[in-house]
Structures are given as structure tokens and as C-alpha cells.
Amino acid sequence: MSFAKISIIGNLGAAPELKSTAEGKPRLEMRVATNERRKAAGGDWEDKTTWYRVTVFGRAGAEDGKSRPEKLAEFLRKGHEVFVTGRLEARTYDAKDGTTQIGLSVVADEFEVLKYRPRDAEGGAPARVQVPRPSASADGGSQVAPNDLDDLPF
């Protein structure tokens, strides 16, 4: 048996796109950027950004009939910080210059918004706000609620 899973925390590089599968089921596609700061060979610090394509699939919700991708599409915007866990897939494509490139895609098992940037009342610059984490994931799996963190033994 083989197993590959990836977890990333990063920011949305653009507004997500709501699309449909060939069977008509909704899927949400987005680009997430992770940033790493490291020392270069010359001793200077450099920033490295890695982009991931993330796809969220889901079934209809019980209350309003909307799927998880549909609900997220209404809420998510460029700049939101997200946590994604899922299956990593490498895909190849032909670049404009004729070379073959490799892209990284993540099919999300778990998706959580960590921070979002709503506009202030005057429509000015976005404010950074912490989003409370749910006590259970959208898939029915359990997660630790923020208030439970004080009870952890470590």
C-alpha cells in the first residue's frame, strides 16, 4: 500500500473559481502560495514562494443544500490564509516556450480558513481577523476546538 499526504498553510493568490465535474458535481479550484525565507549561499536572505493548485470537492450540506465548494466560493477571497491537507498530485504541462513543466496540485481532504481579510466599513484597506475554528470538520471528522487547547497535556 502507498500513501502520500501534504499539509500546507498559505495565502490565496486570487479569488477561487467554482466549477463542475463532468458529472455536474461542484468543485472549487484555487491557488495557494506558501512562503519560505532562507539564507542564500552568499549570506543574504531570500524569499521563496511555492504555488499549489488546490481543489475542494464536496457533497451537499444538510441545512441549505449547498455543497462545501459552493459555501467556500461565497466566502473566500484573495489574501485569505488557509490550511489544507490532502493528496499531492504532480501533473505535467507544456509551457509557452515549448518546454515540459511539472505542476503541483492538492486534492483537499481537509480545508480550514485560518485568517481572512474583510473590508472595513468605509471600504478601505482589509483588516486582519482571526476566524474561529469549528469543533468538527465539514466532513464530520473531529478537530480540536480552540477552547480545548488549554486542556491538552503538552
Side-chain angles (χ1 to χ4, degrees):
M1 180 169 109
S2 297
F3 182 78
K5 192 164 193 153
I6 184 171
S7 297
I8 58 174
I9 294 177
N11 295 86
L12 296 180
E17 294 180 42
L18 185 61
K19 298 182 178 183
S20 295
T21 65
E23 297 82 30
K25 295 181 182 178
R27 74 176 193 267
L28 190 63
E29 295 182 358
M30 63 196 87
R31 291 181 40 86
V32 177
T34 61
N35 297 302
E36 179 183 352
R37 186 172 187 97
R38 59 179 151 183
K39 233 176 202 179
D44 294 330
W45 287 97
E46 63 183 17
D47 293 321
K48 181 179 190 253
T49 302
T50 303
W51 287 93
Y52 298 87
R53 290 186 182 277
V54 175
T55 304
V56 178
F57 295 95
R59 56 189 178 278
E63 308 90 45
D64 58 5
K66 289 185 181 179
S67 66
R68 185 168 76 165
E70 291 168 322
K71 289 178 184 178
L72 288 170
E74 292 175 0
F75 175 74
L76 292 174
R77 301 289 177 261
K78 178 180 179 177
H80 288 189
E81 185 178 51
V82 297
F83 171 72
V84 180
T85 301
R87 184 177 72 250
L88 183 65
E89 295 180 345
R91 59 181 176 72
T92 60
Y93 62 94
D94 294 326
K96 292 179 183 177
D97 63 3
T99 61
T100 300
Q101 300 290 317
I102 297 174
L104 300 175
S105 297
V106 178
V107 177
D109 294 330
E110 296 179 38
F111 186 92
E112 187 174 330
V113 179
L114 299 178
K115 294 179 185 170
Y116 72 103
R117 297 178 147 198
R119 295 272 174 202
D120 64 14
E122 290 81 36
R128 198 163 181 115
V129 178
Q130 183 75 28
V131 176
R133 292 189 177 115
S135 58
S137 70
D139 294 33
S142 62
Q143 293 179 341
V144 177
N147 296 339
D148 296 340
L149 295 178
D150 294 333
D151 297 336
L152 295 176
F154 51 88

